[in-house]
Amino acid sequence: MTLNIGMVGTGWFAKVHADLLAGMADVKLQAVCGTSREKGEEMARPYAAEGYGDPIEMLDTHTLDAVYICVPPGAHGAIERTLIRRGIPFFVEKPLGVSTEIPASLLQDIQAAGLLTSVGYHFRYQENVKRLKEALQGDTIGMVVGQWMGSMPEAPWWRDQERSGGQFTEQTTHIVDLLRYLAGEVTEVYAMFGNRVMHEKKDGVSVADVGTVSLKLASGIVANISNTCVLPGEASRVGLSFYNDRGLLDWNPQRLLTVRDGESTEYASTGNPYVSESEAFLHAVRTGDRSGILSDYADAYKTLKVTCAAFESARKEAPVKL
Ligand SMILES: NC(=O)c1ccc[n+]([C@@H]2O[C@H](COP(=O)([O-])OP(=O)(O)OC[C@H]3O[C@@H](n4cnc5c(N)ncnc54)[C@H](O)[C@@H]3O)[C@@H](O)[C@H]2O)c1
């Protein structure tokens, strides 16, 4: 059976997903919806799909088995609500929103409808993250330190707090999500954010450009996750490190380094986690078996709660309990 897919969003990541879908057997990108019909049609053309500027028209015209949502964080809400009402499963890119309010109400409706969802926390699908999760099984984790140190993406919405939620919610969310996935739930955060450089370099910057967040986990683990977007394009450091009494486990998107029990081993990253996450979602759409989905809406909502609590903590200049 061929799955008919719709796409909402016509930007960089919508195209990444559309290209991957185009390479999969028994999957057809049927329709693309942008902020205008022109944008929808332009993106749809290479996939021999149809373009729309209105999601309702797209859904009225096509019988879609699932929809991918790849829009900026501030644009979530109405699209999901329409899909929930029609009972159409969706894959949505992270983060779920810029604050918890809209996603909290969407989550209630998703749970009431029992709707199949998947969220783009692709690192969970990486072979090295599986290896890391297995390696941590017998360990008592001491502490965890992570970071997303990079440059400011060019999309104008990204630098606008109202539309992106800020770097910790928009980007560093991947590292917070991995922390939860590998070490358990967060119970308290204390964040400090600052504006050092970018507001003087670019117009309309309302997001912090440096930040550090201390986190307490239910297990007693303490963690720190820091981020910046002041770096020039060629420099970056993204990763998460575990410090245990058997040694250290240091992950970044390119490799996993384990230094423990007197041995140091490096594992290069293999495979494409974006393909794996889509395959798991589409398998669930096809068969009803959701067991391969490693991040659904309910789980991703917990990650959003942590990053939004960090924003609140920085604003209040006080720790926030979850
Ligand atoms: N998982 C990952 O590794 C990863 C990587 C990049 C981006 N993303 C996520 O994907 C999302 C989109 O990012 P991007 O880089 O593609 O941004 P982008 O700016 O390139 O594209 C966003 C697109 O959404 C469209 N859009 C905005 N509101 C819309 C609406 N209501 N209906 C239809 N289209 C709408 C815009 O016109 C634009 O085409 C973000 O949430 C981002 O965090 C995830």
Side-chain angles (χ1 to χ4, degrees):
M1 181 187 95
T2 298
L3 293 179
N4 293 319
I5 309 295
M7 176 76 63
V8 180
T10 54
W12 174 45
F13 233 62
K15 292 195 181 84
V16 169
H17 283 297
D19 285 346
L20 294 177
L21 292 170
M24 289 180 190
D26 299 325
V27 176
K28 170 78 182 108
L29 182 62
Q30 282 281 352
V32 177
C33 182
T35 46
S36 67
R37 181 177 288 277
E38 293 69 42
K39 284 177 82 174
E41 285 177 347
E42 190 189 332
M43 166 149 169
R45 210 165 292 128
Y47 307 102
E50 283 180 48
Y52 296 87
D54 173 10
I56 306 283
E57 192 191 344
M58 175 175 87
L59 297 171
D60 283 347
T61 312
H62 299 272
T63 304
L64 298 174
D65 296 301
V67 169
Y68 279 60
I69 307 171
C70 304
V71 299
H76 290 291
I79 302 156
E80 287 91 334
R81 186 92 56 210
T82 305
L83 294 170
I84 297 165
R85 278 206 200 102
R86 293 179 184 226
I88 300 175
F90 63 82
F91 173 97
V92 59
E93 264 305 340
K94 44 50 66 178
L96 299 181
V98 291
S99 63
T100 54
E101 204 182 337
I102 293 170
S105 92
L106 292 174
L107 176 58
Q108 275 191 349
D109 294 351
I110 286 166
Q111 287 178 326
L115 190 68
L116 169 58
T117 58
S118 179
V119 184
Y121 285 107
H122 67 284
F123 287 129
R124 288 188 178 212
Y125 296 83
Q126 216 199 35
E127 285 300 324
N128 268 347
V129 168
K130 276 185 208 162
R131 186 175 274 125
L132 178 54
K133 198 166 173 58
E134 279 163 23
L136 286 166
Q137 283 313 313
D139 281 20
T140 301
I141 297 171
M143 74 176 296
V144 190
V145 177
Q147 66 285 320
W148 192 293
M149 309 304 204
S151 55
M152 183 173 272
E154 282 307 318
W157 58 262
W158 199 92
R159 67 190 71 148
D160 178 357
Q161 179 66 35
E162 296 286 307
R163 289 193 285 165
S164 77
Q167 186 179 17
F168 202 72
T169 288
E170 214 291 322
Q171 222 170 30
T172 318
T173 185
H174 280 299
I175 303 301
V176 174
D177 187 66
L178 280 184
L179 174 72
R180 286 190 47 247
Y181 185 54
L182 297 166
E185 294 306 334
V186 175
T187 54
E188 188 174 350
V189 297
Y190 192 5
M192 292 172 199
F193 292 161
N195 302 298
R196 297 289 303 151
V197 176
M198 297 314 289
H199 63 290
E200 284 175 359
K201 285 201 167 177
K202 292 185 190 268
D203 291 333
V205 174
S206 54
V207 296
D209 63 6
V210 293
T212 189
V213 183
S214 293
L215 308 99
K216 245 189 236 171
L217 276 63
S219 55
I221 295 168
V222 294
N224 178 273
I225 299 178
S226 297
N227 62 200
T228 185
C229 55
V230 303
L231 287 170
E234 64 279 9
S236 77
R237 177 165 292 155
V238 171
L240 193 63
S241 307
F242 293 77
Y243 298 91
N244 306 343
D245 61 351
R246 286 181 60 200
L248 71 88
L249 299 139
D250 182 59
W251 172 88
N252 68 39
Q254 286 75 42
R255 62 108 184 92
L256 171 67
L257 171 69
T258 63
V259 183
R260 49 206 240 146
D261 305 328
E263 267 186 52
S264 172
T265 315
E266 205 169 299
Y267 305 90
S269 290
T270 54
N272 183 341
Y274 295 116
V275 171
S276 308
E277 72 177 350
S278 252
E279 284 176 347
F281 172 61
L282 296 172
H283 171 77
V285 173
R286 216 181 274 285
T287 64
D289 170 18
R290 302 182 185 189
S291 61
I293 294 176
L294 301 181
S295 171
D296 64 7
Y297 203 93
D299 196 285
Y301 177 72
K302 293 183 188 164
T303 296
L304 182 71
K305 269 180 80 172
V306 177
T307 65
C308 292
F311 182 68
E312 187 191 339
S313 164
R315 199 169 43 81
K316 287 186 172 161
E317 301 186 356
V320 169
K321 286 197 196 307
L322 282 121

